[in-house]
């Protein structure tokens, strides 16, 4: 009988093409393209720039032909940093790392990314998927998982976010992606393609949604198939991040953590109960899972 997690069970990201030659473009090019400025308007900006000795972006803002958000977006393009402009963004407001890279929250996610890459996810460590756990619903784990995956992808590293929360899945809503098929389809042997979705405007990020919510999530996760799937995906992606159900739903998150090999706990200030947090951390650290730490979410 064919295993449900053969290589073709997961749709591959497009094969890497020959690396294109990077051509630097000016801020003016990006702003003009974004705002569809006419030649006359561009000349107006350049004249203001020469007269006042300011940069193109400052001149465009002063003339009300662009916004400061447009300038920030143009800078991100010039420095090859994937980021959606305010006007063009189709992202959910919770995806702060995608729509506002200069937000203090986004900087906090970059800081956590750096700590992981210098510690549990360093190049000299065994390659493992990172499972994100929380004691209860409403702790902000899904928000945290989504934004952490975004900042990893912004390094240019091929990153996969797996929504393994088969109790209350939300990643497909945050990223506005189809979710007819997904993780549950693979684990039940009913899907062979179209379970990994690329995220528009974030070229290194992919999402595997839950798919149909099954009546027996724990039984599906305890099958060998999930471990085999994770092993396969780690060979295809630079980073794999897994969103899990809150621990109040049972053993799902701990089973997932064991199969991923690396776990981090997300708690929420003034919401999560310390007894529940301590209990979850204790259960994780008693097993063979490497504990990457705990984050207190203030969002």
């Amino acid at each position: 009988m064919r295993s449900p997690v053969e290589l073709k069970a997961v749709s591959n990201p497009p094969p890497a093409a020959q690396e294109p030659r990077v051509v630097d473009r000016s801020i003016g090019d990006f702003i003009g393209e974004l705002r569809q400025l006419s030649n006359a308007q561009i000349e107006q900006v350049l004249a203001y720039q020469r007269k006042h000795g300011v940069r193109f972006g400052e001149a465009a803002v002063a003339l009300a032909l662009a916004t400061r958000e447009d300038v920030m977006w143009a800078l991100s393009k010039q420095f090859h940093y994937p980021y959606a402009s305010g006007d063009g963004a189709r992202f959910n407001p919770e995806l702060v790392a995608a729509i506002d890279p200069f937000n203090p929250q986004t900087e906090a996610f970059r800081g956590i990314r750096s700590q992981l890459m210098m510690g549990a996810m360093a190049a000299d460590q065994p390659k493992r998927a990172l499972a994100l756990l929380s004691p209860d619903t409403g702790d902000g784990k899904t928000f945290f998982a989504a934004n952490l995956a975004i900042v990893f992808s912004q390094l240019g590293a091929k990153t996969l976010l797996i929504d393994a929360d088969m109790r209350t899945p939300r990643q497909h809503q945050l990223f506005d992606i189809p979710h007819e098929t997904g993780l549950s389809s693979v684990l039940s042997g009913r899907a062979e393609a179209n379970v990994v979705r690329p995220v528009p405007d974030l070229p290194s990020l992919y999402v595997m949604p839950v798919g149909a919510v099954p009546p027996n999530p724990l039984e599906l996760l305890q099958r060998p198939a999930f471990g085999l799937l994770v092993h396969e995906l780690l060979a295809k992606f630079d980073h794999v991040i897994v969103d899990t159900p809150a621990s109040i739903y049972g053993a799902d998150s701990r089973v997932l953590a064991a199969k991923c090999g690396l776990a981090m706990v997300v708690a929420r200030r003034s919401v999560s109960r310390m007894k529940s947090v301590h209990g979850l951390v204790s259960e994780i650290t008693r097993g063979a899972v490497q504990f990457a730490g705990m984050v207190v979410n203030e969002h």
Side-chain angles (χ1 to χ4, degrees), residues 14 19 22 76 143 163 215 249 286:
E19 194 69 24
V22 175
S76 74
F143 158 80
D163 192 349
Y249 288 113
R286 280 201 303 265

Side-chain angles (χ1 to χ4, degrees), residues 22-43:
V22 175
V23 178
D24 288 331
R25 296 174 61 192
S26 69
I27 294 293
D29 285 342
F30 289 116
I31 293 176
E33 185 177 285
L34 176 67
R35 284 296 177 183
Q36 298 183 331
L37 300 182
S38 66
N39 290 335
Q41 288 173 318
I42 291 174
E43 285 300 323

Side-chain angles (χ1 to χ4, degrees), residues 128-150:
R128 292 173 283 228
L130 173 65
L132 297 173
L133 293 73
S134 70
D136 206 341
T137 56
D139 289 330
K141 171 184 49 58
T142 293
F143 158 80
F144 183 86
N147 284 284
L148 187 63
I150 290 170

Side-chain angles (χ1 to χ4, degrees), residues 2-297:
R2 181 168 57 82
S3 166
V5 289
E6 292 179 2
L7 282 177
K8 64 179 181 179
V10 180
S11 60
N12 292 326
Q18 185 176 359
E19 194 69 24
R21 185 169 61 92
V22 175
V23 178
D24 288 331
R25 296 174 61 192
S26 69
I27 294 293
D29 285 342
F30 289 116
I31 293 176
E33 185 177 285
L34 176 67
R35 284 296 177 183
Q36 298 183 331
L37 300 182
S38 66
N39 290 335
Q41 288 173 318
I42 291 174
E43 285 300 323
Q44 184 183 0
V45 175
L46 292 173
Y48 187 99
Q49 181 183 8
R50 288 190 295 268
K51 180 178 179 181
H52 296 276
V54 296
R55 298 181 183 275
F56 186 95
E58 294 175 78
V61 171
L63 293 170
L65 294 174
T67 65
R68 295 203 176 276
E69 172 71 13
D70 297 335
V71 175
M72 292 297 100
W73 173 82
L75 281 168
S76 74
K77 287 292 186 182
Q78 192 177 51
F79 283 90
H80 312 290
Y81 184 78
Y83 157 57
S85 70
D87 287 344
R90 296 176 295 153
F91 292 119
N92 187 293
E94 288 188 52
L95 302 181
V96 292
I99 58 179
D100 191 357
F102 311 103
N103 186 297
Q105 286 182 318
T106 304
E107 189 59 42
F109 282 111
R110 285 196 286 264
I112 294 168
R113 177 192 66 192
S114 297
Q115 291 182 50
L116 286 168
M117 294 186 70
M118 291 186 293
M121 297 175 72
D124 60 351
Q125 294 294 311
K127 193 173 182 182
R128 292 173 283 228
L130 173 65
L132 297 173
L133 293 73
S134 70
D136 206 341
T137 56
D139 289 330
K141 171 184 49 58
T142 293
F143 158 80
F144 183 86
N147 284 284
L148 187 63
I150 290 170
V151 296
F152 268 107
S153 75
Q154 287 171 333
L155 290 174
K158 193 181 296 181
T159 303
L160 174 65
L161 173 61
I162 300 177
D163 192 349
D165 184 352
M166 297 194 205
R167 308 284 183 165
T168 55
R170 287 187 62 233
Q171 296 295 353
H172 65 280
Q173 296 173 351
L174 292 186
F175 288 95
D176 192 24
I177 58 172
H179 63 288
E180 291 77 15
T181 58
L183 177 62
S184 64
S185 312
V186 175
L187 297 183
S188 62
R190 294 184 296 105
E192 295 188 352
N194 301 321
V195 292
V196 172
R197 309 282 182 174
V199 177
D201 298 320
L202 295 173
S204 296
L205 181 61
Y206 300 82
V207 177
M208 179 187 292
V210 161
V213 176
N216 59 336
L218 183 56
E219 287 74 17
L220 279 181
L221 295 172
Q222 285 180 320
R223 294 176 183 176
F226 184 79
L228 295 171
L229 179 64
V230 169
H231 179 75
E232 178 184 326
L233 292 170
L234 285 171
K236 296 174 180 290
F237 292 90
D238 298 307
H239 304 294
V240 176
I241 295 172
V242 182
D243 186 9
T244 73
S247 64
I248 60 163
Y249 288 113
D252 299 32
S253 61
R254 298 185 292 284
V255 169
L256 286 162
K259 291 178 181 289
C260 290
L262 183 63
M264 175 177 278
V265 170
V266 179
R268 191 167 190 173
R269 187 179 298 278
S270 302
V271 174
S272 302
R273 296 171 182 254
M274 290 306 299
K275 182 179 179 180
S276 300
V277 173
H278 287 154
L280 180 56
V281 171
S282 177
E283 288 179 357
I284 294 171
T285 54
R286 280 201 303 265
V289 181
Q290 181 173 353
F291 183 51
M294 190 185 82
V295 174
V296 178
N297 172 33

